[in-house]
Amino acid sequence: MSETLLDVRGLSCPLPVLKANRALRALAAGDHLRVLATDRASSADFRSFCRETGHALVAFGEEAGVLSFVIRKKNDEPA
């Protein structure tokens, strides 16, 4: 399992989620994507995105106005 960093600070909705979705496509199942964002709406956006796509939001935090999300890519194998 690896972790990739995506810095979308300064971008507004819907760009953080769109860029995260694109980055997740390049990752292997189980890999983590850490997203750094400053758009306050990102909190609700990433929760909804993970719920709808099946990826797991495994961590969320905030430090000095920067939101941090860690998303684990879902297993791409059919059930």
Side-chain angles (χ1 to χ4, degrees):
M1 167 181 54
S2 68
E3 181 172 289
T4 301
L5 178 65
L6 177 65
D7 187 343
V8 293
R9 291 179 285 186
L11 298 180
S12 297
C13 178
L15 289 175
V17 169
L18 293 175
K19 288 186 176 282
N21 188 38
R22 180 179 292 163
L24 282 163
R25 289 184 195 149
L27 301 181
D31 283 353
H32 287 180
L33 177 66
R34 179 177 300 273
V35 182
L36 302 178
T38 49
D39 181 7
R40 304 302 301 166
S42 292
S43 180
D45 292 346
F46 277 108
R47 284 184 173 91
S48 295
F49 169 74
C50 289
R51 198 170 35 250
E52 292 172 14
T53 61
H55 301 302
L57 182 60
V58 296
F60 166 75
E62 179 180 1
E63 186 174 326
V66 177
L67 305 169
S68 175
F69 306 91
V70 178
I71 301 168
R72 183 178 59 240
K73 184 175 179 176
K74 69 179 178 178
N75 186 348
D76 292 329
E77 298 295 319

